[in-house]
Amino acid sequence: MLSKGVFAQTTCKLIRCSSTLHSKAAPAVMTQLQSEMPQCDHRPAAYNGPSYERILETRKNHLTPNLLAHFKKPLVIHAGHMQWLYDHEGRRYLDMFGGIVTVSVGHCHPKVNQALSEQMSKLWHTTNIYMHPKIHEYAERLTAKFPGKLKAVCFVNSGSEANDLAMLLARLHTGNQDILTFRNAYHGMSPYTMGLTAHSTWRYPLPGVNNGILHVMNPDPYQGIWGGSACRDSPVQTTRSCSCPPNDCQAGVNYYNELEQTFKYSLPRGKVAAMFAESIQGVGGTVQFPKGYLKRAAELVRANGGLFVADEVQTGFGRTGDHFWGFESHDYTPDIVTMAKGIGNGFPLAAVVTTPEIAASLGMALHFNTYGGNPMASAVGISVLDVIEEEQLQRNSLEVGTYFLKCLEELQQRYELIGDVRGKGLMIGVELVSDRETRAPLAAPHVLDIWEMCKDMGVLFGRGGLHGNVLSFRPPLCISYEDVELTLSILEAVFVEHMNKRPRGWRVITSQNRGLL
Ligand code: PMP
């Protein structure tokens, strides 16, 4: 674990530009900010692929409609280097989303590239019917990152596959059927995991998807019915007040009691297969649970014969800064951990780690995965672990992420459309609201306008939550303070520009009107 006192910069330089930004000259400021991108010596080769129009046409005629590109005029990205992406017209963007939390150590990181090309020139693939050294080396390296008996790994290719396998393992090992997840969870899109995912927007009307799956109340201290000013393990708390004594979060207790009701009324006694939880909900909009809740939930599930599964697809590999795995800061050890995305820096690689006893149930029948842990994937996986260690990326995530969060909190004090700032390390959410009192989401056209303008100024990030109103920042872990400064300056310029466009728009909070909004 890394100490929380390590971050070097504590005061936000953001204040420096706020007076100019609050003027009507915002468009001029926006152009100036575009030219203030941090230096990057990398020069990608010029784009020589098909025209923009041709790409759009191919997309329309030959790709399935589920491929939804971001932005009104989607970007063609043809090159990447560390935290930078380049479009077909040679424009450089700061990537604050990392290919949806996937590019963990940087686009085309030279060391990972080298590990992959060395492996490619030796052996691509045999399938695991023969033994190749890389999967063994990687299994040792990856499992060394886990506490206790979590020492058996099965490699697959995507997060959905990892969660599929975790469901199978839990049901086989316990002999039980029922699985619990939270409303607002995202665990995958395969027909099996679609049932775990609890967002109407991500569900197809298929019979049987919910077979044996229950969605329980989300313990969300910002939008949920209980929540206060000290619930979260984050440098920034909600603006909701509470009178809980230190380290005794009542919201967590209330949510836990609610979970107990589900066990009492909706489940067969002592016959549960598993509960799945993300350590911080990702797609759901960076939702953090009250401290202590997951630990107690895991005990309750185990007391009822089930296993607890930590979905670390977004929160693993140092993302949350103070620990390598998100579950560690919830102070419990799961029975099964699933991981994907950041594990391979963009290479299709995922894994399930569990105890040898639980893994043994896979011996009941044949179970096969053609690509899982193939030599190329394993070489990439080892190299990603090396880079995280050598470049101290977990520490960077803690330091730069904490700085970013604190600056965002300052921004929140000045812009009423920011309802909540949350997260840890470089897993950060900014929830935009139309009303701070009711916490009602900011309507989509406004969020989209803000998002588009940020893109036009050169900063890319995602949107999460059921209403898509939570700005999601999950950059490669190598970003710098300068990159954070750029993002903050652009965000602020865009907020001002958006307000100027709307005569009855949101107001800047000043010493005169503070407390009235
Ligand atoms: N779990 C979580 C927490 C995720 O965020 C995702 C993907 N967004 C998945 C599982 C599924 O991963 P994949 O898209 O690789 O199947």
Side-chain angles (χ1 to χ4, degrees), residues 97-120:
F97 204 29
I100 318 190
V101 215
T102 301
V103 180
S104 45
V105 300
H107 292 278
C108 298
H109 190 288
K111 184 155 182 172
V112 183
N113 276 7
Q114 193 191 341
L116 179 59
S117 72
E118 273 170 22
Q119 186 56 49
M120 278 165 75

Side-chain angles (χ1 to χ4, degrees), residues 183 217-228 231 240-241 250-252 254-255 258 439:
R183 294 182 197 137
M217 183 187 279
N218 203 31
D220 176 350
Y222 178 65
Q223 284 291 355
I225 47 178
W226 298 293
C231 306
R240 296 174 77 171
S241 58
Q250 202 50 45
N254 292 342
Y255 285 117
E258 173 62 31
R439 304 187 288 275

